[in-house]
Amino acid sequence: MRKNYFLSFLLSFITVALFAQSGEISGKLIDENGQAIPFANIAIVDNGVPTGVGATTDFDGFYSIKPLNPGQYDVKFSVIGYTSVIKAGVVVKNDKTTYIDQQLSPSETKIEEIVVVRYKTPLIDPGE
């Protein structure tokens, strides 16, 4: 009977150990004045290309990306009106949270003006 208890304990321990191997990247995104930046995009990128894994900051600028397999990741922080930043080589470990607080500076890029002109239907069709 003891053998069965030991065997079931060992099996459940191995199962928990196999499924618990994930990490997390969390932190806060702020501007140069220390104010939180809400609704910014944080993405895991591979050679500058988003992998589809990421998060969006909340009202207070906090974000969390999980579950992540252990390894090294490049994390891109971006939001309209600010210069994007990529943190390369962020290490994620088993069952650990890696904290990255990032500051973004305003972008100097200006958007060119777009003029919208309403189309007017001619009274006489020139094709007839």
Side-chain angles (χ1 to χ4, degrees), residues 98-118:
T98 303
Y99 293 98
I100 303 174
D101 293 338
Q102 183 63 47
Q103 179 179 345
L104 296 182
S105 56
S107 175
E108 299 296 324
T109 306
K110 294 188 179 187
I111 300 173
E112 57 183 81
E113 181 180 353
I114 298 174
V115 178
V116 178
V117 179
R118 185 170 184 94

Side-chain angles (χ1 to χ4, degrees), residues 3-18:
K3 196 176 199 181
N4 289 341
Y5 285 124
F6 178 73
L7 198 57
S8 67
F9 173 75
L10 184 63
L11 185 61
S12 61
F13 179 76
I14 290 172
T15 304
V16 169
L18 287 176

